[in-house]
Protein backbone atom coordinates (compact mmCIF):
# COMPACT_ATOMS: atom_id res chain seq x y z
CA UNK A 1 0.00 0.00 0.00
CA UNK A 2 1.39 3.39 -1.00
CA UNK A 3 2.35 5.70 1.85
CA UNK A 4 0.42 9.00 1.80
CA UNK A 5 2.19 12.35 1.47
CA UNK A 6 0.96 13.32 4.94
CA UNK A 7 2.43 10.17 6.48
CA UNK A 8 5.76 10.80 4.73
CA UNK A 9 5.80 14.40 5.97
CA UNK A 10 4.90 13.28 9.48
CA UNK A 11 7.71 10.73 9.53
CA UNK A 12 10.19 13.32 8.28
CA UNK A 13 9.05 15.82 10.92
CA UNK A 14 9.62 13.33 13.73
CA UNK A 15 13.04 12.43 12.32
CA UNK A 16 13.93 16.13 12.08
CA UNK A 17 12.85 16.72 15.70
CA UNK A 18 14.98 13.80 16.83
CA UNK A 19 18.07 14.93 14.92
CA UNK A 20 17.76 18.60 15.90
CA UNK A 21 16.44 18.45 19.48
CA UNK A 22 17.01 14.80 20.58
CA UNK A 23 13.30 14.36 21.38
CA UNK A 24 12.22 10.98 20.04
CA UNK A 25 8.57 10.80 18.95
CA UNK A 26 9.26 8.35 16.12
CA UNK A 27 7.57 5.41 17.89
CA UNK A 28 4.52 7.27 19.16
CA UNK A 29 1.18 5.89 17.96
CA UNK A 30 0.50 7.19 14.46
CA UNK A 31 -3.19 8.06 14.68
CA UNK A 32 -3.01 10.22 17.80
CA UNK A 33 0.24 11.82 16.64
CA UNK A 34 -1.38 12.70 13.33
CA UNK A 35 -4.30 14.38 15.12
CA UNK A 36 -1.99 16.39 17.36
CA UNK A 37 0.20 17.58 14.50
CA UNK A 38 -2.84 18.50 12.41
CA UNK A 39 -4.11 20.60 15.31
CA UNK A 40 -0.66 22.18 15.73
CA UNK A 41 -0.51 23.12 12.03
CA UNK A 42 -3.75 25.08 12.35
CA UNK A 43 -2.73 26.77 15.59
CA UNK A 44 0.77 27.67 14.38
CA UNK A 45 -0.37 29.00 11.01
CA UNK A 46 1.23 26.43 8.71
CA UNK A 47 -0.22 25.13 5.46
CA UNK A 48 1.51 21.72 5.57
CA UNK A 49 3.54 19.48 7.87
CA UNK A 50 6.59 20.31 5.75
CA UNK A 51 6.03 24.02 6.41
CA UNK A 52 5.85 23.25 10.13
CA UNK A 53 9.06 21.23 9.87
CA UNK A 54 10.88 24.20 8.31
CA UNK A 55 9.79 26.45 11.17
CA UNK A 56 10.71 23.85 13.80
CA UNK A 57 14.19 23.35 12.36
CA UNK A 58 14.98 27.07 12.28
CA UNK A 59 13.16 28.37 15.35
CA UNK A 60 13.48 26.63 18.76
CA UNK A 61 10.53 28.69 20.03
CA UNK A 62 8.28 27.02 17.46
CA UNK A 63 9.51 23.64 18.63
CA UNK A 64 8.67 24.59 22.24
CA UNK A 65 5.16 25.44 21.10
CA UNK A 66 4.85 22.21 19.13
CA UNK A 67 6.04 20.24 22.16
CA UNK A 68 2.90 21.32 24.02
CA UNK A 69 0.79 19.62 21.34
CA UNK A 70 2.94 16.49 21.10
CA UNK A 71 3.10 15.73 24.83
CA UNK A 72 -0.55 16.41 25.73
CA UNK A 73 -0.02 18.05 29.15
CA UNK A 74 -3.42 17.07 30.59
CA UNK A 75 -3.85 15.78 34.13
CA UNK A 76 -6.03 16.04 37.23
CA UNK A 77 -5.79 15.22 40.92
CA UNK A 78 -6.94 11.79 42.11
CA UNK A 79 -7.94 10.90 38.56
CA UNK A 80 -9.81 7.57 38.62
CA UNK A 81 -10.45 7.57 42.41
CA UNK A 82 -10.88 3.77 42.46
CA UNK A 83 -7.28 3.45 41.30
CA UNK A 84 -5.98 5.60 44.18
CA UNK A 85 -8.18 3.68 46.62
CA UNK A 86 -6.70 0.46 45.24
CA UNK A 87 -3.15 1.74 45.72
CA UNK A 88 -4.01 2.89 49.25
CA UNK A 89 -5.58 -0.41 50.26
CA UNK A 90 -3.64 -2.99 48.22
CA UNK A 91 -0.18 -1.56 47.55
CA UNK A 92 0.72 0.74 50.43
CA UNK A 93 0.34 -1.98 53.11
CA UNK A 94 3.19 -3.85 51.38
CA UNK A 95 5.27 -0.70 50.99
CA UNK A 96 4.95 0.00 54.71
CA UNK A 97 7.20 -3.00 55.36
CA UNK A 98 10.19 -1.22 53.79
CA UNK A 99 12.35 1.16 55.88
CA UNK A 100 12.57 3.57 52.93
CA UNK A 101 10.82 3.86 49.58
CA UNK A 102 11.58 5.03 46.07
CA UNK A 103 8.65 5.81 43.79
CA UNK A 104 8.83 6.74 40.11
CA UNK A 105 5.96 8.67 38.52
CA UNK A 106 6.77 8.51 34.80
CA UNK A 107 5.11 11.03 32.51
CA UNK A 108 4.07 13.23 35.44
CA UNK A 109 2.82 16.03 33.16
CA UNK A 110 1.83 19.12 35.18
CA UNK A 111 2.11 17.34 38.52
CA UNK A 112 -1.42 16.72 39.72
CA UNK A 113 -0.82 13.00 40.11
CA UNK A 114 2.44 13.68 41.97
CA UNK A 115 0.69 15.80 44.60
CA UNK A 116 -2.10 13.23 44.83
CA UNK A 117 0.46 10.53 45.58
CA UNK A 118 2.30 12.73 48.09
CA UNK A 119 -0.93 13.49 49.97
CA UNK A 120 -1.87 9.82 50.09
CA UNK A 121 1.60 8.85 51.30
CA UNK A 122 1.47 11.50 54.03
CA UNK A 123 -1.89 10.20 55.25
CA UNK A 124 -0.49 6.67 55.39
CA UNK A 125 2.64 7.79 57.27
CA UNK A 126 4.97 7.05 54.36
CA UNK A 127 5.87 10.40 52.81
CA UNK A 128 8.75 11.21 55.14
CA UNK A 129 10.56 7.98 54.24
CA UNK A 130 9.78 8.14 50.53
CA UNK A 131 11.75 9.59 47.65
CA UNK A 132 9.56 10.36 44.64
CA UNK A 133 10.99 10.80 41.16
CA UNK A 134 8.54 12.74 38.99
CA UNK A 135 9.68 12.72 35.36
CA UNK A 136 8.49 14.12 32.05
CA UNK A 137 9.95 15.30 28.74
CA UNK A 138 8.07 18.63 28.68
CA UNK A 139 10.00 21.43 30.47
CA UNK A 140 6.91 23.65 30.75
CA UNK A 141 4.92 20.85 32.37
CA UNK A 142 7.75 20.16 34.84
CA UNK A 143 7.88 23.86 35.80
CA UNK A 144 4.13 23.83 36.48
CA UNK A 145 4.54 20.65 38.52
CA UNK A 146 7.32 22.16 40.62
CA UNK A 147 5.19 25.22 41.46
CA UNK A 148 2.15 23.20 42.53
CA UNK A 149 -0.27 26.01 41.68
CA UNK A 150 -3.59 25.04 40.07
CA UNK A 151 -6.80 26.91 39.13
CA UNK A 152 -9.21 27.13 42.06
CA UNK A 153 -12.11 26.35 39.72
CA UNK A 154 -10.80 22.78 39.38
CA UNK A 155 -10.36 22.16 43.09
CA UNK A 156 -13.96 21.20 43.85
CA UNK A 157 -13.73 18.32 41.38
CA UNK A 158 -10.36 17.34 42.81
CA UNK A 159 -11.77 17.43 46.34
CA UNK A 160 -14.61 15.06 45.40
CA UNK A 161 -12.16 12.65 43.78
CA UNK A 162 -9.91 12.87 46.84
CA UNK A 163 -12.74 11.77 49.14
CA UNK A 164 -13.73 8.92 46.78
CA UNK A 165 -10.11 7.74 46.78
CA UNK A 166 -10.18 7.19 50.54
CA UNK A 167 -8.96 10.64 51.62
CA UNK A 168 -8.87 10.95 55.41
CA UNK A 169 -9.23 14.73 55.76
CA UNK A 170 -10.27 17.62 53.50
CA UNK A 171 -8.24 18.46 50.41
CA UNK A 172 -8.26 22.08 51.62
CA UNK A 173 -5.92 21.00 54.44
CA UNK A 174 -3.18 20.70 51.83
CA UNK A 175 -3.35 24.03 50.00
CA UNK A 176 -3.85 27.76 50.48
CA UNK A 177 -5.96 29.77 48.07
CA UNK A 178 -5.24 33.20 46.65
CA UNK A 179 -6.04 35.03 43.40
CA UNK A 180 -8.25 32.22 42.07
CA UNK A 181 -5.48 29.66 42.49
CA UNK A 182 -4.63 26.91 44.96
CA UNK A 183 -1.01 26.65 46.12
CA UNK A 184 -0.23 23.21 47.49
CA UNK A 185 1.77 22.85 50.68
CA UNK A 186 5.47 23.10 49.79
CA UNK A 187 6.35 20.48 52.38
CA UNK A 188 4.69 17.93 50.09
CA UNK A 189 7.58 18.38 47.67
CA UNK A 190 10.42 18.03 50.19
CA UNK A 191 11.09 14.47 49.02
CA UNK A 192 10.16 14.93 45.36
CA UNK A 193 12.73 15.23 42.57
CA UNK A 194 11.32 16.64 39.33
CA UNK A 195 13.47 15.65 36.36
CA UNK A 196 13.58 15.45 32.58
CA UNK A 197 13.46 11.82 31.44
CA UNK A 198 12.40 10.23 28.17
CA UNK A 199 10.97 6.72 28.04
CA UNK A 200 11.99 6.67 24.38
CA UNK A 201 15.70 7.44 24.75
CA UNK A 202 16.82 7.40 28.41
CA UNK A 203 17.74 4.52 30.69
CA UNK A 204 16.90 3.47 34.25
CA UNK A 205 18.29 5.81 36.91
CA UNK A 206 17.38 4.11 40.21
CA UNK A 207 15.94 1.00 41.82
CA UNK A 208 12.33 1.67 42.82
CA UNK A 209 9.56 0.00 44.82
CA UNK A 210 6.63 1.49 42.89
CA UNK A 211 6.38 2.77 39.31
CA UNK A 212 3.29 4.74 38.27
CA UNK A 213 2.91 5.37 34.54
CA UNK A 214 -0.70 6.20 33.80
CA UNK A 215 -2.17 7.28 30.47
CA UNK A 216 1.22 7.46 28.76
CA UNK A 217 1.60 4.07 27.05
CA UNK A 218 -1.62 4.62 25.07
CA UNK A 219 0.30 7.19 23.00
CA UNK A 220 3.13 4.75 22.16
CA UNK A 221 3.31 2.09 19.48
CA UNK A 222 4.02 -1.52 20.49
CA UNK A 223 7.80 -1.14 20.17
CA UNK A 224 7.95 1.88 22.45
CA UNK A 225 5.47 0.36 24.90
CA UNK A 226 7.77 -2.63 25.30
CA UNK A 227 10.78 -0.36 25.73
CA UNK A 228 9.03 1.56 28.50
CA UNK A 229 7.83 -1.61 30.22
CA UNK A 230 11.40 -2.91 30.04
CA UNK A 231 12.63 0.20 31.87
CA UNK A 232 9.98 -0.24 34.55
CA UNK A 233 10.79 -3.92 34.99
CA UNK A 234 14.49 -3.16 35.27
CA UNK A 235 13.88 -0.33 37.73
CA UNK A 236 11.58 -2.24 40.07
CA UNK A 237 12.99 -4.18 42.99
CA UNK A 238 12.01 -7.81 43.53
CA UNK A 239 8.22 -7.93 43.99
CA UNK A 240 7.92 -4.20 43.27
CA UNK A 241 4.69 -2.64 41.99
CA UNK A 242 3.68 -1.18 38.63
CA UNK A 243 0.49 0.80 38.01
CA UNK A 244 -0.94 1.77 34.62
CA UNK A 245 -3.82 3.86 33.28
CA UNK A 246 -7.38 2.61 32.96
CA UNK A 247 -7.04 1.94 29.19
CA UNK A 248 -3.60 0.35 29.43
CA UNK A 249 -2.65 -3.28 29.91
CA UNK A 250 0.26 -5.68 30.06
CA UNK A 251 -1.65 -8.19 27.95
CA UNK A 252 0.12 -9.09 24.70
CA UNK A 253 3.21 -7.10 25.72
CA UNK A 254 6.71 -8.58 25.97
CA UNK A 255 6.37 -8.31 29.76
CA UNK A 256 2.99 -9.97 30.25
CA UNK A 257 4.59 -12.93 32.03
CA UNK A 258 6.92 -10.79 34.14
CA UNK A 259 4.15 -9.40 36.36
CA UNK A 260 1.11 -10.69 38.19
CA UNK A 261 -2.11 -8.70 38.47
CA UNK A 262 -2.91 -7.46 41.95
CA UNK A 263 -6.05 -5.84 40.54
CA UNK A 264 -6.62 -5.99 36.78
CA UNK A 265 -9.56 -3.62 37.09
CA UNK A 266 -7.46 -0.92 38.75
CA UNK A 267 -4.34 -1.77 36.69
CA UNK A 268 -2.21 -2.69 39.71
CA UNK A 269 0.59 -5.18 38.98
CA UNK A 270 3.42 -6.79 40.93
CA UNK A 271 6.76 -7.87 39.53
CA UNK A 272 7.37 -11.60 39.67
Amino acid sequence: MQTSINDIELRLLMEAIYLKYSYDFRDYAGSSQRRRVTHAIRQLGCATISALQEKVLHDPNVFSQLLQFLTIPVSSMFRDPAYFLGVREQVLPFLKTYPSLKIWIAGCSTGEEVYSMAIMLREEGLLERSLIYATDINPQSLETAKKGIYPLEKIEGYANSYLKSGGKHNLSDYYTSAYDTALFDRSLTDNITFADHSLATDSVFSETHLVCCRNVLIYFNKTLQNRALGLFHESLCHRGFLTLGSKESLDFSAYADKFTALSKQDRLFRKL
Side-chain angles (χ1 to χ4, degrees):
M1 191 170 70
Q2 190 173 18
T3 306
S4 72
I5 294 296
N6 273 359
D7 285 344
I8 293 171
E9 287 184 308
L10 186 64
R11 220 178 284 175
L12 290 172
L13 172 63
M14 297 308 150
E15 191 67 36
I17 288 171
Y18 178 63
L19 293 172
K20 171 75 173 177
Y21 299 102
S22 300
Y23 279 79
D24 194 351
F25 294 102
R26 294 174 299 175
D27 282 322
Y28 277 52
S31 56
S32 62
Q33 188 178 78
R34 211 171 291 114
R35 285 194 302 272
R36 296 197 297 272
V37 170
T38 300
H39 185 47
I41 284 172
R42 289 196 295 265
Q43 296 298 312
L44 298 175
C46 299
T48 63
I49 298 176
S50 292
L52 176 62
Q53 178 180 315
E54 183 179 4
K55 283 189 173 184
V56 164
L57 282 174
H58 294 95
D59 188 346
N61 290 325
V62 174
F63 172 66
S64 294
Q65 294 176 60
L66 177 60
L67 192 59
Q68 306 315 306
F69 294 95
L70 293 177
T71 55
I72 316 175
V74 176
S75 187
S76 62
M77 292 193 74
F78 296 97
R79 183 179 182 179
D80 301 323
Y83 156 80
F84 280 96
L85 185 61
V87 172
R88 190 188 289 263
E89 294 181 346
Q90 299 181 65
V91 176
L92 296 192
F94 289 103
L95 297 186
K96 285 179 180 179
T97 65
Y98 293 97
S100 62
L101 296 172
K102 288 185 179 180
I103 297 168
W104 179 13
I105 300 178
C108 71
S109 188
T110 45
E112 288 89 338
E113 183 170 3
V114 181
Y115 289 94
S116 302
M117 179 63 70
I119 288 169
M120 187 166 63
L121 290 171
R122 172 165 286 177
E123 292 185 352
E124 298 299 326
L126 288 171
L127 185 58
E128 287 66 29
R129 53 185 164 117
S130 298
L131 178 58
I132 302 172
Y133 300 104
T135 65
D136 203 90
I137 62 170
N138 187 326
Q140 278 187 230
S141 294
L142 283 171
E143 278 305 308
T144 300
K146 288 176 187 176
K147 292 174 183 174
I149 301 174
Y150 302 106
L152 206 55
E153 64 189 29
K154 294 185 176 181
I155 295 297
E156 184 179 350
Y158 294 170
N160 289 334
S161 295
Y162 161 74
L163 291 175
K164 290 177 184 175
S165 71
K168 296 183 175 180
H169 304 291
N170 292 308
L171 190 60
S172 58
D173 294 338
Y174 300 102
Y175 68 84
T176 54
S177 55
Y179 305 107
D180 298 321
T181 61
L183 170 62
F184 278 82
D185 186 348
R186 302 320 298 154
S187 69
L188 290 171
T189 63
D190 285 348
N191 295 346
I192 299 174
T193 298
F194 293 97
D196 183 292
H197 182 275
S198 170
L199 295 173
T201 57
D202 293 329
S203 56
V204 169
F205 51 85
S206 181
E207 182 178 71
T208 55
H209 301 86
L210 168 64
V211 174
C212 306
C213 184
R214 304 179 65 234
N215 309 301
V216 175
L217 298 185
I218 53 173
Y219 299 111
F220 295 172
N221 68 14
K222 187 65 71 176
T223 299
L224 189 50
Q225 286 177 5
N226 282 327
R227 185 188 197 280
L229 290 171
L231 292 178
F232 302 152
H233 185 267
E234 184 182 347
S235 173
L236 284 168
C237 66
H238 177 64
R239 302 296 285 155
F241 297 89
L242 170 67
T243 70
L244 301 176
S246 60
K247 295 179 181 177
E248 297 165 333
S249 171
L250 292 176
D251 294 344
F252 310 113
S253 76
Y255 290 85
D257 61 348
K258 308 290 186 185
F259 292 87
T260 184
L262 202 64
S263 169
K264 265 203 166 182
Q265 182 178 342
D266 298 319
R267 304 302 194 268
L268 310 180
F269 304 94
R270 196 171 190 188
K271 182 178 175 180
L272 291 171

